[in-house]
Amino acid sequence: MNSWPHKHILTLANFSKEDFKIVIDLANRFKSVNNAHIKNLPSLRGFLITSLFFEPSTRTKNSFELAAKRLSADLLSFNPSSSSLSKGETCLDTARTYCSMGSNILIIRHSSNHTPFEIAKNLDYGGFKISVLNAGDGFNSHPSQGLLDLYTLTKFFSPIKLDPNILFNKTILIIGDILHSRVARSNLWSLTAFGANIVLCGPETLVPEEFSNFLTSNLPHEVTDPIKNRGKIIISRSLEQSIKNADAVITLRLQKERMKTNLLTSIQSYSDDYCLTKQKLDLCSKEIPILHPGPLNRDVEISSQIVDSYTNCLINDQVSNGVLVRMALLYLLSKVNLEFKVI
Ligand code: CP
């Protein structure tokens, strides 16, 4: 395996094709461990991993924690409601406390954009030898989700060779609340890297036209895009039209908790236009895969009929693959040479 160039994993904007492939191949190697009777590997024995979820999570938190256990790491799991946050301690001081206990990796989720970036920067300045893994910050970035979606689609289209280049020129339709979605933003980086074209579909309040320039206008500070020829981003207002040419669909949750103003006339009218139903799916002539990062608002953005009985609904695969991808990320960060440049 080539050396891993990232001390922290905060965004996918700085991932090269090689970086994506390393994660996919390693996740796939961990698949056989997950299928074995004894599922634990000794790789991270003696390693301390801390999960700092300042915002609720079911999938990401538990799959990172399961991934750490599968690799035999020691694990500290933080609960914000019973922590000293209630006494006024800051997120940064909380992170520094876990560093001082000897943590090697902090997995951080926070409702504010860039909090994991700020914590990583501060810990680097403080001389802490620790990696930060962003488990979702506000609506900015959710790298492990972008990677597990890339893995899931690659596995669907290229089950034997597992070659993400299979996505070249495929049309991937992402439907719904793009504005508040860190998942969509991470998927834009991961899927366009291999030449997939992305159609972002939703009402103007949730899918502003500016998203067509996302890849050039949202590169983080001091990052040069390592990918030469990315796929395109196209905006669509019509699900009925855009689904006809789709090769895969990712539906997204309406993130009401992040909506500062009322962006929809009603949930019913949104659902009439943008809920993925079997009737709308039948407008596509192919049996395409359907993904959703979860949690679901059933019958708001995706019908229960599709979730429960459509053969190519890959939501459960996404959850299973999430454990493998997160094992790969923890393993790679455990091997980081601590003389690294930041990010
Ligand atoms: N997809 C995702 O991030 O789900 P959780 O909020 O349950 O972690």
Side-chain angles (χ1 to χ4, degrees), residues 152-167:
T152 301
L153 283 169
T154 302
K155 191 95 184 153
F156 180 87
F157 288 114
S158 173
I160 310 294
K161 286 171 109 180
L162 210 67
D163 180 3
N165 289 304
I166 194 85
L167 299 179

Side-chain angles (χ1 to χ4, degrees), residues 96-160:
R96 291 172 76 107
T97 300
Y98 283 102
C99 286
S100 301
M101 288 183 199
S103 297
N104 303 101
I105 299 175
L106 294 181
I107 303 163
I108 301 179
R109 169 171 287 191
H110 201 281
S111 57
S112 298
N113 289 2
H114 299 115
T115 297
F117 295 70
E118 293 301 321
I119 291 177
K121 197 160 107 183
N122 193 289
L123 297 178
D124 284 335
Y125 282 137
F128 288 100
K129 294 186 171 184
I130 192 159
S131 292
V132 174
L133 225 162
N134 183 359
D137 62 315
F139 50 80
N140 182 51
S141 180
H142 194 345
S144 62
Q145 183 74 45
L147 290 163
L148 77 89
D149 288 346
L150 175 66
Y151 179 89
T152 301
L153 283 169
T154 302
K155 191 95 184 153
F156 180 87
F157 288 114
S158 173
I160 310 294

Side-chain angles (χ1 to χ4, degrees), residues 10 79 83-84 117 134 137-139 160 208 233 240 273 275 329:
L10 300 167
N79 179 356
S83 76
S84 290
F117 295 70
N134 183 359
D137 62 315
F139 50 80
I160 310 294
I233 300 176
E240 270 94 349
D273 290 339
C275 180
L329 297 180

Side-chain angles (χ1 to χ4, degrees), residues 53 56-61 109 142 145 182-183 293-295 326:
F53 279 68
S57 162
T58 297
R59 279 146 286 268
T60 314
K61 181 176 193 295
R109 169 171 287 191
H142 194 345
Q145 183 74 45
R182 55 196 176 208
V183 175
R326 289 172 177 128

Side-chain angles (χ1 to χ4, degrees), residues 180-247:
H180 301 102
S181 178
R182 55 196 176 208
V183 175
R185 286 171 175 80
S186 286
N187 279 336
L188 287 173
W189 294 117
S190 64
L191 301 174
T192 61
F194 293 94
N197 298 316
I198 311 293
V199 178
L200 299 176
C201 180
E204 200 162 354
T205 48
L206 298 182
V207 189
E209 288 293 333
E210 300 87 85
F211 266 96
S212 53
N213 302 320
F214 176 86
L215 297 167
T216 46
S217 57
N218 282 275
L219 267 175
H221 187 53
E222 290 181 354
V223 172
T224 309
D225 191 346
I227 311 279
K228 291 279 174 288
N229 296 308
R230 289 186 178 271
K232 294 192 288 288
I233 300 176
I234 298 143
I235 309 291
S236 165
R237 306 285 169 221
S238 167
L239 174 49
E240 270 94 349
Q241 281 303 318
S242 49
I243 201 154
K244 289 179 187 161
N245 300 316
D247 294 300

